[in-house]
Amino acid sequence: MQSKQIDELSKDELIKIVKRYRKIKYGLIWEDKPEIVAERCVNELPVLVEATDFEITNNSNDKSPVNLLIEGDNYHALYALTFTHKKSIDFIYIDPPYNTGAKDWKYNNSYVDASDPYRHSKWLSFMDKRLRLSKNLLKDDGIICVTIDDYEAPRLWMLLESIFGEANHLGTVVIRNNPGGRKTKRKVALNHEYAIFFGRSDKAKMKRKNIEIEDKSHKYKMDSDGEYYEERNLRKEGVDSKAFNRKGKRSDRFFPIYVNSATFEISSVKKFDLRILPIDTKGEERIWRRSKDEVERMAATGDVYYKRTSFGDQIYYKFRGGIDGEPYDSIWLDNVFSASEYGTKELDTILGVRESFPYPKSPYAVMECIKAANDNPNAVILDYFAGSGTTAQAVLELNAEIKTNMQFIVCTNNENNICTDVCYPRINNVITGHVHGALPARMKYFRTDFVQKVVTDQDRRDLVYRSSELLCIAEGTYTLLHDDYPLFRLYLSDIKATLIIYDETCISDSIDSLINVPSEIPISIYVFSYNNEYDEDDFSEVKHTYSVKPIPEAILNQYRRIRIGRGL
């Protein structure tokens, strides 16, 4: 499908364009450039095919997650993941091409250089398609982090705002990744790059940095329950702390707190002899940090108390928020984030050879981004610009360091054999202990492939026959328990089973195979159907807890949403 020139457009097409741009009051406008890999999905559907010879296993624990490496264009990989992982990803970390003009990436099989008049439009078109696909993979509280430098930072920030919403920008971190600086004749030496964090929705929030009590600058105390707290004055200071607003109205948080001078009991109700108002050391009327009702509740639990100080009678409360850690700073200066020292050298050490992969990230920088955005010990981490595999290494080493069970899904093409000769060997060497000691983990290797767009009944059957990997990835069931292909297959994990019925005439035989599945394990049954229907009575003999989904409609529904959403 080729894009039309303006003079080739019909009246209706022109009206549609005008209406669309009239709605834009503020934001990015660029000339969208057709992309071959995206256009291919109009007439073909991406699927995933396992390369079984590349599987890596260094773990006898079947309950550990199966990590995934996908070789292929990341647009096609994201297309397939839209079915397998819709709203299932906790954190996305990507390090896309920086579009420096130095032919560091290709668009439609041609390098983009600084002389290309559509350089920025091509990059925005490229990023927009992938970011929109990946947004649908994030959980409601999921977070995406995109690293970038000055060449595209302004446009990327606005693009992320248009996709995720300005209110869901969670912060931008400046990372000193090049302490020596990138020297130029006309500009300042560039020592840094950016990590831009956005949430999928307003449910997303950045995490806090863990700090040991003895390392904290605050003086913490321990109460009778063994809980740490910081002692803070209940009287508010600073912004919005005055008792009267600009219109002269007194705040309802300016009220007396009463203290029993003998027992030091506290109440917001007038029943004790000592009366304390939120008046500061200069005699100015302020407000309390808590309402009357909250003061009563805190008094009952001992979280608010009286103290006699050199400034007179004061009310204090136990602040526990800082115990959970401190917010991450917006500037990261640690030397371990250096790409040259801890990126390139780390990759060379792991592979045992000098690699030509340009500017690999420091795994410590990626690890810090993961910790800043995720605290789920069983998180699924996606990187669809995997390159040399730094994110995979970061997840594996974090699992070992902080005893988590996170799973990585990484995608990269195989241009210049980057996947087979760099990314895969790196992951293999990290898991098998080539450098830092063996790490218990499992990984499966998939390649993107295609089937024809579904038009005929035969197309439906072809898609179903080619969908085993998609269904197993979606269900997390990889152990083949019974193989009667092309009639049916039965897959198993430690917590669930997947029965794929390719031929609807074999339902009865396929149900007989379930005798080998433990009774407590639920079963997802996918059954071929021309019309998206099935007869419930066909499954009345199933003794397990089960669900039935007609295929290929379950897959096609997700793929249709992509085409509609992108207007393809």
Side-chain angles (χ1 to χ4, degrees), residues 3 11 19 56 78 94 107 119 172 190-191 201 222 232 238 281 321 332 388 413 424 451 453 462 491 514 537 548:
S3 62
K11 179 181 177 181
K19 285 182 177 179
I56 304 170
L78 288 169
I94 55 172
Y107 196 80
R119 173 179 144 207
T172 296
L190 196 64
N191 300 90
S201 72
M222 182 186 291
R232 289 191 180 183
T281 55
W332 297 354
S388 68
N413 61 26
Y424 174 79
V451 296
K453 180 182 176 181
D462 291 342
Y491 295 86
L514 299 180
D537 291 339
V548 181

Side-chain angles (χ1 to χ4, degrees), residues 41-64:
C41 295
V42 174
N43 297 311
E44 296 179 90
L45 301 177
V47 293
L48 299 176
V49 179
E50 184 177 0
T52 54
D53 292 345
F54 286 79
E55 181 175 354
I56 304 170
T57 301
N58 184 35
N59 194 349
S60 59
N61 179 11
D62 288 338
K63 294 185 179 181
S64 64

Side-chain angles (χ1 to χ4, degrees), residues 327-533:
Y328 278 79
D329 293 328
S330 62
I331 300 177
W332 297 354
L333 299 174
D334 199 306
N335 283 337
V336 298
F337 303 140
S338 167
S340 57
E341 289 297 313
Y342 291 88
T344 303
K345 290 182 180 180
E346 176 82 358
L347 180 59
D348 293 347
T349 300
I350 291 173
L351 295 179
V353 294
R354 175 84 183 163
E355 276 303 323
S356 60
F357 185 82
Y359 312 117
K361 283 284 185 291
S362 162
Y364 300 102
V366 181
M367 289 166 71
E368 199 73 359
C369 289
I370 294 173
K371 289 188 288 186
N374 173 73
D375 59 4
N376 178 5
N378 301 305
V380 181
I381 311 295
L382 170 65
D383 180 356
Y384 51 91
F385 286 98
S388 68
T390 306
T391 299
Q393 179 185 344
V395 171
L396 292 168
E397 295 199 355
L398 268 180
N399 281 340
E401 176 187 322
I402 59 179
K403 310 304 179 187
T404 50
N405 210 28
M406 295 184 289
Q407 173 196 13
F408 68 74
I409 302 173
V410 294
C411 315
T412 183
N413 61 26
N414 201 31
E415 185 176 324
N416 299 320
N417 298 323
I418 182 64
C419 190
T420 53
D421 293 358
V422 181
C423 187
Y424 174 79
R426 178 184 196 165
I427 297 172
N428 183 62
N429 288 351
V430 170
I431 290 176
T432 57
H434 184 76
V435 179
H436 301 305
L439 299 177
R442 298 185 292 167
M443 191 201 79
K444 286 183 173 288
Y445 191 114
F446 294 88
R447 294 188 175 99
T448 56
D449 201 354
F450 292 86
V451 296
Q452 284 297 313
K453 180 182 176 181
V454 172
V455 177
T456 67
D457 286 344
Q458 185 58 48
D459 293 337
R460 289 181 176 275
R461 285 211 176 269
D462 291 342
L463 176 57
V464 167
Y465 285 138
R466 299 287 301 282
S467 298
S468 296
E469 285 93 338
L470 285 177
L471 299 176
C472 288
I473 292 172
E475 296 293 340
T477 50
Y478 296 100
T479 301
L480 182 59
L481 188 63
H482 187 103
D483 189 0
D484 203 351
Y485 184 84
L487 303 179
F488 65 90
R489 277 175 175 163
L490 177 62
Y491 295 86
L492 188 68
S493 74
D494 63 306
I495 59 172
K496 64 172 71 170
T498 303
L499 175 62
I500 306 175
I501 305 172
Y502 307 99
D503 188 330
E504 68 278 23
T505 65
C506 300
I507 292 177
S508 180
D509 290 342
S510 68
I511 291 174
D512 290 343
S513 71
L514 299 180
I515 193 172
N516 297 315
V517 179
S519 59
E520 70 276 9
I521 287 185
I523 300 175
S524 295
I525 301 175
Y526 291 89
V527 58
F528 176 80
S529 171
Y530 285 115
N531 58 6
N532 196 32
E533 296 178 357

Side-chain angles (χ1 to χ4, degrees), residues 35 73-74 94-107 111-112 119-120 122-124 126-127 130-131 146-153 155-156 193 357-359 361 383-387 411-413 415:
E35 189 177 357
D73 187 273
N74 56 12
I94 55 172
D95 179 40
Y98 282 12
N99 198 19
T100 63
K103 294 185 177 181
D104 58 342
W105 71 291
K106 288 182 177 180
Y107 196 80
Y111 281 109
V112 178
R119 173 179 144 207
H120 296 296
K122 289 178 178 177
W123 189 86
L124 284 167
F126 172 83
M127 290 299 299
R130 287 153 180 79
L131 287 169
V146 189
T147 58
I148 202 70
D149 70 0
D150 286 358
Y151 285 96
E152 291 291 359
R155 285 161 289 280
L156 173 65
E193 64 181 5
F357 185 82
Y359 312 117
K361 283 284 185 291
D383 180 356
Y384 51 91
F385 286 98
C411 315
T412 183
N413 61 26
E415 185 176 324

Side-chain angles (χ1 to χ4, degrees), residues 507 511 534-541 546:
I507 292 177
I511 291 174
Y534 64 93
D535 189 341
E536 292 185 6
D537 291 339
D538 288 341
F539 301 94
S540 61
E541 299 299 318
Y546 71 94

